[in-house]
Amino acid sequence: MKQLWAPWRIDYILGPKPDVCVFCLPQDTAEDAERLVLYRGKNAFVIMNKYPYNNGHIMVCPYRHVMLLAALSRQEAHEVMDLLQACATILKEHFNCPGINIGLNQGEAAGAGIREHLHFHLVPRWNGDSSFMAVFDEVRTMPQHLSRSYAALLPFFAPQAMAARLAALADCVEQQRL
């Protein structure tokens, strides 16, 4: 029998399950650190995955509780894409990762763990990041604790830093059009 120790999951396993969607944020920001919210925009936000596939695994979600990509308004879709661009840039800068998986699992059949609220995943990837652990024992290692990753990423998502980053991305797009 294989044993994998993950003691931080016991709180989730034994604890009460929320009656509400974990991606439906309260307007009050008091719980943002506990919920691992990195950034709040006008129509969408950035949050870390509490059960990541890899270090730095973050998600972009619209505030509105929708299941389908086609249900997003133009403003929501635009802001989600802007945040995906900014997040991809931040992950490359901070984690120095040569690749990033960016994806959306729409619906339970497609692998969505929380199908009721649309959310995009960004997972930093490194060549060989699965290492021998995954090959020999179907196990992945996480070299940094989630709280340390959150603390390290948080300054990149400060409102002024994000405003500057999003403006720079918009300028870049405008320059390409000219």
Side-chain angles (χ1 to χ4, degrees):
M1 173 190 290
K2 299 176 187 175
Q3 289 186 354
L4 185 63
W5 295 95
W8 56 90
R9 289 192 51 87
I10 197 67
D11 292 337
Y12 174 75
I13 293 166
L14 298 178
K17 304 301 180 264
D19 293 332
V20 296
C21 173
V22 297
F23 295 130
C24 287
L25 297 181
Q27 286 189 342
D28 180 8
T29 60
E31 298 177 3
D32 279 5
E34 178 185 337
R35 287 175 170 258
L36 301 175
V37 175
L38 290 165
Y39 176 76
R40 288 177 178 250
K42 182 178 179 185
N43 300 295
F45 63 95
V46 180
I47 189 169
M48 290 191 72
N49 191 323
K50 283 192 177 185
Y51 305 100
Y53 298 124
N54 225 346
N55 277 102
H57 181 171
I58 58 179
M59 297 174 289
V60 174
C61 311
Y63 287 116
R64 204 161 50 91
H65 187 88
V66 296
M67 288 176 56
L68 303 173
L69 185 60
L72 292 178
S73 70
R74 287 181 185 255
Q75 293 83 5
E76 289 168 326
H78 194 289
E79 185 171 347
V80 164
M81 185 54 68
D82 286 347
L83 290 176
L84 287 170
Q85 287 179 309
C87 289
T89 304
I90 289 168
L91 290 175
K92 279 193 103 31
E93 287 174 8
H94 176 69
F95 287 103
N96 196 28
C97 54
I100 301 171
N101 290 123
I102 302 173
L104 163 67
N105 300 327
Q106 187 172 281
E108 189 175 351
I114 300 173
R115 68 178 185 84
E116 298 84 13
H117 197 134
L118 197 69
H119 55 284
F120 291 80
H121 294 262
L122 293 98
V123 182
R125 299 302 306 269
W126 296 266
N127 295 323
D129 62 8
S130 293
S131 78
F132 72 92
M133 293 288 283
V135 174
F136 289 123
D137 211 14
E138 297 181 4
V139 172
R140 287 194 174 199
T141 58
M142 303 292 285
Q144 186 177 48
H145 192 276
L146 191 58
S147 63
R148 292 197 61 192
S149 293
Y150 178 76
L153 284 172
L154 195 57
F156 291 94
F157 289 94
Q160 288 180 320
M162 278 299 281
R165 188 173 300 276
L166 291 169
L169 286 170
D171 289 345
C172 182
V173 169
E174 188 61 33
Q175 289 298 323
Q176 290 175 356
R177 275 197 250 179
L178 300 176

